[in-house]
């Protein structure tokens, strides 16, 4: 099944998840502060714990929404890439999207392993490697959408905004 654009639920999930992901990427101080306190054996206050929990709960929400998003994609399908997109860049777009989906699962799972199960290597992977890769892929994803909009003048951006 190849619809012309994404459904309203797919678009709502995309933008809602984008907001949650951006929130967790930008506001890491509470979790980082909690981590430093625990690492040094210092006292964690209820406020410290609440701050860290916000980051963790947003990550869990992202994971749950990623499952829903995959389910919707399997049921409703996704539009085909525009014909104007060169074959090599279609491959790059597929790889970028595939890796973004992997990170929608890997980031929350590695974060949960570090936070809830005290697996330090998972925390290092989460904060030092996966976070950087996610930023790079998000940049590529946004750049690709802008190239479609302003260079190739396709409807790729419209399919995920107004459903054109």
């Amino acid at each position: 099944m190849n619809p012309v654009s994404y459904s309203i639920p797919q678009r709502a999930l995309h933008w809602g998840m984008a907001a949650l992901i951006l929130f967790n990427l930008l506001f890491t101080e509470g979790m980082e502060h909690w981590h430093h306190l625990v690492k040094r054996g210092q006292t964690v206050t209820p406020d410290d714990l609440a701050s860290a929990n916000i980051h963790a709960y947003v990550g869990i929400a992202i994971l749950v929404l990623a499952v829903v998003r995959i389910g919707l994609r399997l049921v409703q399908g996704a539009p085909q890439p525009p014909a104007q997109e060169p074959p090599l860049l279609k491959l790059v777009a597929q790889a970028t999207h595939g890796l973004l989906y992997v990170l929608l699962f890997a980031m929350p799972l590695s974060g949960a392993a570090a936070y809830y199960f005290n697996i330090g290597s998972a925390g290092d992977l989460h904060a030092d490697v996966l976070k950087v890769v996610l930023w790079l892929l998000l940049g590529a994803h946004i750049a690709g959408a802008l190239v479609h909009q302003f260079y190739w003048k396709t409807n790729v951006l419209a399919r995920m905004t107004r459903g054109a």
Side-chain angles (χ1 to χ4, degrees):
M1 163 181 342
N2 292 331
V4 178
S5 93
Y6 292 96
S7 69
I8 290 172
Q10 286 174 312
R11 294 191 316 258
L13 276 170
H14 177 273
W15 293 108
M17 290 178 71
L20 291 173
I21 290 164
L22 193 59
F23 176 87
N24 258 11
L25 284 171
L26 293 176
F27 300 106
T28 59
E29 297 86 16
M31 183 60 78
E32 290 170 357
H33 180 68
W34 172 87
H35 174 71
H36 291 301
L37 291 174
V38 170
K39 189 175 168 182
R40 294 182 183 133
Q42 296 175 326
T43 303
V44 175
T45 69
D47 286 343
D48 296 328
L49 190 58
S51 248
N53 279 339
I54 290 170
H55 185 86
Y57 297 158
V58 169
I60 292 167
I62 291 166
L63 180 62
V64 169
L65 293 175
V67 170
V68 172
R69 190 169 172 177
I70 295 280
L72 267 178
R73 189 178 179 100
L74 291 172
V75 170
Q76 296 180 341
Q80 289 293 317
Q84 299 93 318
E85 190 173 31
L88 179 60
L89 292 181
K90 281 182 187 178
L91 183 60
V92 169
Q94 286 176 336
T96 300
H97 282 100
L99 289 171
L100 280 170
Y101 273 104
V102 167
L103 287 175
L104 291 178
F105 290 89
M107 287 291 291
L109 291 173
S110 62
Y115 187 58
Y116 293 112
F117 303 108
N118 200 27
I119 301 173
S121 59
D124 294 341
L125 177 68
H126 177 83
D128 298 335
V129 177
L130 297 180
K131 183 169 84 171
V132 172
V133 172
L134 181 57
W135 273 114
L136 292 172
L137 289 173
L138 289 175
H141 183 64
I142 293 165
L146 293 174
V147 166
H148 273 281
Q149 180 69 27
F150 297 110
Y151 182 73
W152 288 316
K153 302 195 185 319
T154 67
N155 69 342
V156 165
L157 195 56
R159 296 186 311 191
M160 192 50 86
T161 55
R162 65 180 186 270

